[in-house]
Amino acid sequence: MDIRPAPTMGTEVSRWRTTKQAATGTMAVGGVGVSIAQTATGQTTLALATGAAAASATGIGLVAAAGALALGTSVLAARSAHKSRIHRNNLAQIYERRDAYACGPVEMGGEVNRFHHQVVANEVLPYIISKKGSKYHRKVVSAVPVLGGLESARAGAKSLYKRARGTRGVNRRNATHWLGWHLITHNCGMSQAIVSDLYSFEEMLWLQSLNLKELIPLLEEKMRST
């Protein structure tokens, strides 16, 4: 699916709600990125490193460590697949209700940009759903140790191919521009619901306080299919 080029923004869009920014700006950005190792195993990174060092003392330990690493990778892939499936299903429900969400201007006397709203509803949202679906299926494959290696090789080759053609990340960047612009310039229930599902409601409120340049890479991170 190709997403039409992002609209020309002119001057960078800034957040208008200074009071909300003051209230939510102190939210820890670290909530967006948590240590994968600690989340998956409940152990600290230091504990994992110490265990790996102890395991490497003998040949048997090396084999055991390699097996544990493979198992850990499979567990992470399975967890990621589960989360991607939930996101895909939630976003599909938002799509089904896309015409029921209220959308208004954030500034007094402003007008709703219906065209941009429709692009988010009918192009960007289906694109994100497709990415979550693709990620779900790929992570299911990655959860199988042997197939996981093949999937990693395939994903790497595809990335190199797109990079060579200059198309890597183009659709994702366009999609994040449309969604990000609409999120911070409109009081749109649909855009807020999409971003709340990708992150959380509290993080969505914080993301609304950012300018477009700051917002784009954070949204891009949640639209990857690998």
Side-chain angles (χ1 to χ4, degrees), residues 6-7 9 12 169-170 172-184 199 207 210-224:
M9 302 302 174
E12 188 175 294
V170 171
R172 183 167 62 246
R173 175 56 63 94
N174 287 336
T176 55
H177 268 81
W178 286 104
L179 177 58
W181 183 89
H182 203 62
L183 177 71
I184 64 180
Y199 280 101
L207 290 168
L210 303 180
N211 59 42
L212 191 63
K213 184 178 180 179
E214 297 167 327
L215 180 58
I216 291 302
L218 295 175
L219 292 179
E220 281 187 321
E221 184 64 28
K222 292 295 184 177
M223 294 189 192
R224 299 183 186 278

Side-chain angles (χ1 to χ4, degrees), residues 89-165:
N89 293 345
N90 290 343
L91 292 167
Q93 292 180 5
I94 295 173
Y95 179 77
E96 292 175 358
R97 301 193 303 267
R98 64 192 182 281
D99 295 327
Y101 290 99
C103 182
V106 296
E107 297 179 343
M108 295 296 293
E111 296 183 358
V112 177
N113 193 318
R114 296 293 181 187
F115 173 72
H116 288 179
H117 181 86
Q118 291 302 316
V119 170
V120 174
N122 299 315
E123 295 187 34
V124 174
L125 181 52
Y127 170 79
I128 301 174
I129 293 171
S130 71
K131 293 290 110 176
K132 292 301 180 183
S134 296
K135 186 172 183 178
Y136 165 65
H137 292 296
R138 289 169 181 170
K139 291 301 180 179
V140 168
V141 174
S142 296
V144 181
V146 176
L147 295 180
L150 296 176
E151 170 57 24
S152 297
R154 183 209 62 79
K158 183 177 181 181
S159 177
L160 291 174
Y161 174 73
K162 286 187 174 183
R163 191 186 296 273
R165 295 187 61 192

Side-chain angles (χ1 to χ4, degrees), residues 34-48 72 75-76 79:
V34 182
S35 167
I36 294 177
Q38 189 170 352
T39 301
T41 67
Q43 302 180 56
T44 64
T45 303
L46 178 60
L48 291 172
V75 170
L76 288 176
R79 284 171 59 88

Side-chain angles (χ1 to χ4, degrees), residues 7 17 20-21 101 104 128 189 194 199 221 226:
R17 299 181 196 172
K20 173 178 285 189
Q21 186 169 12
Y101 290 99
I128 301 174
I194 294 171
Y199 280 101
E221 184 64 28
T226 56

